[in-house]
Amino acid sequence: MDMSQRLQRFLAAVEPDRPAEVVGYQPISGGYSRISARASVRWADGTEETFILRGDPPAGSGVFVSDRAAEWALLQALPGLGSVATARARWYDSTGAHLGAPCIVMDCAEATSLQAVLADSEDPGPLSDLFVDTAAAIHRSPLDRLPASMPHPADWSSYLDSVLDTYDRVAAAHPAVAPVLRHITWWAAAHRPPPIPLGLVHGDCQPSNILVADGEPPLVIDWEFAHIGDPREDL
């Protein structure tokens, strides 16, 4: 069964009173850790919508590992935070029974990546300001309204300890890069920055993950590495 058929059966399960036909399905290249695709759907009343699918790759084939359930929970919470906008997440195949792997289906925004707009701009100043303002808005998100399942470090110091411990674990698992990682850990531990309040960290905050359209607020996408931590990580 191809993905168009899989998606059509999934839509029949989540929208049983609204028959749909998948009229287009196109994989999207460029993602490092997720399998992404764009799908066009025609509903029984004649309306059409375009969706983006973000699913887990086959086991052992992804560059990074992230939790689709955690991303789905955050996407459900973000619209109520009042900090930044994101594409609306519509449905989640949590087990992969329909789409072959845990997969989030969200609206496809009619917008362009800020990276592409910057590349064509003769004056990047205002767009750079937009990028910085968007990152700052993410970091101002109220932590008490994030999903309860999202780990919340006790304080900044213990959070930084946990980050350095991650480097130690990676060094132990990968001897070839251990000298570099152990030096990084030693240096970072000896040069801790001043503590700041913990905040929501996007984890992959770059212009290509911000979509812009005339007259609309910027949309922040690809939240798979989001966590509560030191906001300076996004810099």
Side-chain angles (χ1 to χ4, degrees):
M1 184 187 305
D2 66 21
M3 282 302 299
S4 294
Q5 293 174 309
R6 284 180 175 272
L7 177 58
Q8 192 157 308
R9 291 192 178 190
F10 176 65
L11 293 174
V14 296
E15 295 282 353
D17 299 325
R18 196 182 180 199
E21 178 188 4
V22 177
V23 295
Y25 186 92
Q26 180 66 47
I28 301 174
S29 62
Y32 286 107
S33 58
R34 300 304 103 206
I35 301 297
S36 300
R38 179 183 290 104
S40 300
V41 172
R42 181 182 298 122
W43 301 98
D45 61 5
T47 59
E48 294 190 11
E49 291 185 275
T50 303
F51 300 111
I52 299 295
L53 283 69
R54 282 174 52 79
D56 286 349
S61 65
V63 177
F64 302 106
V65 176
S66 60
D67 186 345
R68 213 57 36 242
E71 183 180 4
W72 170 254
L74 178 59
L75 289 173
Q76 297 303 293
L78 283 171
L81 300 183
S83 50
V84 293
T86 190
R88 182 171 57 144
R90 300 285 288 270
W91 307 284
Y92 176 40
D93 182 5
S94 60
T95 65
H98 293 279
L99 300 176
C103 184
I104 296 171
V105 181
M106 61 185 61
D107 287 346
C108 178
E110 296 296 330
T112 306
S113 80
L114 181 59
Q115 182 70 43
V117 178
L118 276 164
D120 293 335
S121 175
E122 295 182 358
D123 179 13
L127 297 172
S128 299
D129 290 343
L130 174 65
F131 175 66
V132 173
D133 290 343
T134 301
I138 295 171
H139 302 155
R140 289 195 300 267
S141 299
L143 301 186
D144 59 348
R145 294 167 63 185
L146 294 175
S149 56
M150 180 176 282
H152 194 146
D155 51 53
W156 180 87
S157 182
S158 62
Y159 172 73
L160 187 58
D161 287 342
S162 72
V163 173
L164 298 179
D165 182 62
T166 298
Y167 280 103
D168 281 335
R169 293 199 306 272
V170 174
H174 301 279
V177 297
V180 174
L181 289 177
R182 294 200 188 285
H183 178 75
I184 289 173
T185 305
W186 167 82
W187 191 94
H191 298 81
R192 293 180 179 233
I196 63 173
L198 297 173
L200 176 62
V201 179
H202 180 273
D204 193 12
C205 192
Q206 55 178 309
S208 61
N209 283 333
I210 296 175
L211 306 181
V212 293
D214 290 342
E216 299 293 335
L219 296 178
V220 183
I221 61 172
D222 290 1
W223 292 88
E224 64 177 309
F225 299 123
H227 60 280
I228 297 173
D230 188 323
R232 290 171 293 196
E233 292 175 70
D234 274 340
L235 303 182

Tab-separated table of all heavy atoms in Angstrom, residues 148-172:
chain	number	residue	atom	x	y	z
A	148	ALA	N	2.808	19.068	30.877
A	148	ALA	CA	3.318	18.547	32.141
A	148	ALA	C	4.349	17.450	31.919
A	148	ALA	O	5.207	17.203	32.779
A	148	ALA	CB	2.160	18.025	32.991
A	149	SER	N	4.279	16.802	30.771
A	149	SER	CA	5.220	15.723	30.467
A	149	SER	C	6.606	16.233	30.086
A	149	SER	O	7.561	15.453	30.035
A	149	SER	CB	4.672	14.868	29.318
A	149	SER	OG	4.404	15.676	28.164
A	150	MET	N	6.740	17.525	29.797
A	150	MET	CA	8.043	18.077	29.418
A	150	MET	C	8.922	18.211	30.660
A	150	MET	O	8.533	18.871	31.628
A	150	MET	CB	7.866	19.434	28.739
A	150	MET	CG	9.179	20.089	28.313
A	150	MET	SD	8.935	21.661	27.397
A	150	MET	CE	8.471	21.017	25.789
A	151	PRO	N	10.111	17.600	30.675
A	151	PRO	CA	10.976	17.695	31.854
A	151	PRO	C	11.300	19.145	32.199
A	151	PRO	O	11.639	19.942	31.317
A	151	PRO	CB	12.241	16.931	31.423
A	151	PRO	CG	11.769	15.973	30.378
A	151	PRO	CD	10.687	16.719	29.638
A	152	HIS	N	11.185	19.464	33.474
A	152	HIS	CA	11.451	20.823	33.964
A	152	HIS	C	12.589	20.758	34.968
A	152	HIS	O	12.394	20.302	36.091
A	152	HIS	CB	10.204	21.419	34.605
A	152	HIS	CG	10.296	22.901	34.828
A	152	HIS	ND1	9.204	23.728	34.737
A	152	HIS	CD2	11.348	23.707	35.121
A	152	HIS	CE1	9.580	24.975	34.971
A	152	HIS	NE2	10.880	24.982	35.217
A	153	PRO	N	13.798	21.188	34.603
A	153	PRO	CA	14.935	21.127	35.538
A	153	PRO	C	14.646	21.902	36.812
A	153	PRO	O	13.913	22.899	36.812
A	153	PRO	CB	16.087	21.764	34.746
A	153	PRO	CG	15.673	21.641	33.305
A	153	PRO	CD	14.184	21.748	33.299
A	154	ALA	N	15.247	21.453	37.900
A	154	ALA	CA	15.020	22.107	39.195
A	154	ALA	C	15.572	23.521	39.207
A	154	ALA	O	14.968	24.437	39.776
A	154	ALA	CB	15.657	21.280	40.305
A	155	ASP	N	16.718	23.741	38.572
A	155	ASP	CA	17.340	25.065	38.535
A	155	ASP	C	18.384	25.084	37.427
A	155	ASP	O	18.695	24.055	36.822
A	155	ASP	CB	17.975	25.428	39.879
A	155	ASP	CG	18.905	24.348	40.397
A	155	ASP	OD1	19.816	23.925	39.646
A	155	ASP	OD2	18.727	23.900	41.543
A	156	TRP	N	18.943	26.278	37.185
A	156	TRP	CA	19.893	26.441	36.082
A	156	TRP	C	21.151	25.606	36.295
A	156	TRP	O	21.654	24.975	35.364
A	156	TRP	CB	20.256	27.920	35.941
A	156	TRP	CG	21.226	28.185	34.827
A	156	TRP	CD1	20.934	28.416	33.513
A	156	TRP	CD2	22.649	28.221	34.929
A	156	TRP	NE1	22.092	28.596	32.789
A	156	TRP	CE2	23.161	28.483	33.641
A	156	TRP	CE3	23.548	28.059	35.984
A	156	TRP	CZ2	24.519	28.600	33.372
A	156	TRP	CZ3	24.912	28.163	35.733
A	156	TRP	CH2	25.384	28.427	34.427
A	157	SER	N	21.672	25.591	37.515
A	157	SER	CA	22.917	24.879	37.779
A	157	SER	C	22.776	23.382	37.527
A	157	SER	O	23.630	22.764	36.877
A	157	SER	CB	23.374	25.130	39.220
A	157	SER	OG	24.604	24.471	39.481
A	158	SER	N	21.696	22.790	38.009
A	158	SER	CA	21.514	21.354	37.798
A	158	SER	C	21.254	21.050	36.330
A	158	SER	O	21.642	19.988	35.826
A	158	SER	CB	20.367	20.830	38.667
A	158	SER	OG	19.134	21.452	38.326
A	159	TYR	N	20.631	21.998	35.617
A	159	TYR	CA	20.420	21.786	34.190
A	159	TYR	C	21.752	21.748	33.454
A	159	TYR	O	21.993	20.862	32.628
A	159	TYR	CB	19.530	22.884	33.595
A	159	TYR	CG	19.456	22.781	32.091
A	159	TYR	CD1	18.725	21.766	31.478
A	159	TYR	CD2	20.171	23.655	31.277
A	159	TYR	CE1	18.696	21.629	30.101
A	159	TYR	CE2	20.145	23.527	29.896
A	159	TYR	CZ	19.401	22.510	29.321
A	159	TYR	OH	19.376	22.371	27.967
A	160	LEU	N	22.626	22.710	33.747
A	160	LEU	CA	23.921	22.722	33.070
A	160	LEU	C	24.711	21.458	33.406
A	160	LEU	O	25.385	20.880	32.545
A	160	LEU	CB	24.713	23.955	33.461
A	160	LEU	CG	26.020	24.165	32.687
A	160	LEU	CD1	25.758	24.254	31.189
A	160	LEU	CD2	26.767	25.404	33.164
A	161	ASP	N	24.624	21.006	34.655
A	161	ASP	CA	25.288	19.748	35.029
A	161	ASP	C	24.795	18.601	34.143
A	161	ASP	O	25.580	17.754	33.712
A	161	ASP	CB	25.025	19.422	36.499
A	161	ASP	CG	25.796	20.323	37.448
A	161	ASP	OD1	26.767	20.963	37.011
A	161	ASP	OD2	25.406	20.399	38.639
A	162	SER	N	23.498	18.574	33.880
A	162	SER	CA	22.938	17.485	33.075
A	162	SER	C	23.426	17.568	31.630
A	162	SER	O	23.654	16.548	30.986
A	162	SER	CB	21.410	17.515	33.130
A	162	SER	OG	20.882	18.602	32.377
A	163	VAL	N	23.608	18.796	31.106
A	163	VAL	CA	24.122	18.959	29.749
A	163	VAL	C	25.555	18.449	29.662
A	163	VAL	O	25.924	17.709	28.738
A	163	VAL	CB	24.040	20.436	29.313
A	163	VAL	CG1	24.735	20.640	27.971
A	163	VAL	CG2	22.588	20.882	29.221
A	164	LEU	N	26.386	18.822	30.633
A	164	LEU	CA	27.772	18.368	30.629
A	164	LEU	C	27.853	16.856	30.810
A	164	LEU	O	28.717	16.199	30.216
A	164	LEU	CB	28.551	19.080	31.730
A	164	LEU	CG	28.642	20.608	31.591
A	164	LEU	CD1	29.422	21.205	32.751
A	164	LEU	CD2	29.278	20.989	30.269
A	165	ASP	N	26.937	16.307	31.586
A	165	ASP	CA	26.905	14.857	31.763
A	165	ASP	C	26.579	14.154	30.446
A	165	ASP	O	27.090	13.062	30.168
A	165	ASP	CB	25.874	14.486	32.835
A	165	ASP	CG	25.822	12.988	33.095
A	165	ASP	OD1	26.847	12.421	33.521
A	165	ASP	OD2	24.760	12.390	32.874
A	166	THR	N	25.739	14.800	29.623
A	166	THR	CA	25.431	14.228	28.310
A	166	THR	C	26.693	14.118	27.462
A	166	THR	O	26.930	13.105	26.793
A	166	THR	CB	24.376	15.083	27.593
A	166	THR	OG1	23.174	15.092	28.353
A	166	THR	CG2	24.095	14.541	26.199
A	167	TYR	N	27.530	15.155	27.485
A	167	TYR	CA	28.791	15.097	26.740
A	167	TYR	C	29.671	13.952	27.249
A	167	TYR	O	30.321	13.255	26.453
A	167	TYR	CB	29.539	16.421	26.860
A	167	TYR	CG	29.029	17.492	25.937
A	167	TYR	CD1	28.221	18.522	26.402
A	167	TYR	CD2	29.363	17.486	24.586
A	167	TYR	CE1	27.756	19.511	25.555
A	167	TYR	CE2	28.904	18.471	23.733
A	167	TYR	CZ	28.103	19.475	24.221
A	167	TYR	OH	27.631	20.449	23.376
A	168	ASP	N	29.693	13.765	28.564
A	168	ASP	CA	30.490	12.664	29.122
A	168	ASP	C	29.979	11.318	28.632
A	168	ASP	O	30.762	10.425	28.293
A	168	ASP	CB	30.465	12.716	30.657
A	168	ASP	CG	31.422	13.750	31.224
A	168	ASP	OD1	32.409	14.078	30.529
A	168	ASP	OD2	31.184	14.224	32.348
A	169	ARG	N	28.655	11.158	28.583
A	169	ARG	CA	28.091	9.884	28.138
A	169	ARG	C	28.387	9.631	26.660
A	169	ARG	O	28.702	8.512	26.259
A	169	ARG	CB	26.581	9.854	28.393
A	169	ARG	CG	26.199	9.845	29.864
A	169	ARG	CD	24.758	9.354	30.052
A	169	ARG	NE	23.816	10.097	29.253
A	169	ARG	CZ	23.222	11.227	29.651
A	169	ARG	NH1	23.507	11.743	30.836
A	169	ARG	NH2	22.352	11.848	28.875
A	170	VAL	N	28.304	10.689	25.851
A	170	VAL	CA	28.613	10.537	24.434
A	170	VAL	C	30.087	10.186	24.254
A	170	VAL	O	30.444	9.332	23.429
A	170	VAL	CB	28.261	11.828	23.663
A	170	VAL	CG1	28.722	11.731	22.210
A	170	VAL	CG2	26.759	12.087	23.713
A	171	ALA	N	30.948	10.820	25.018
A	171	ALA	CA	32.381	10.526	24.931
A	171	ALA	C	32.667	9.077	25.298
A	171	ALA	O	33.492	8.408	24.667
A	171	ALA	CB	33.167	11.468	25.841
A	172	ALA	N	31.979	8.570	26.312
A	172	ALA	CA	32.185	7.182	26.722
A	172	ALA	C	31.710	6.207	25.652
A	172	ALA	O	32.288	5.129	25.479
A	172	ALA	CB	31.457	6.914	28.042
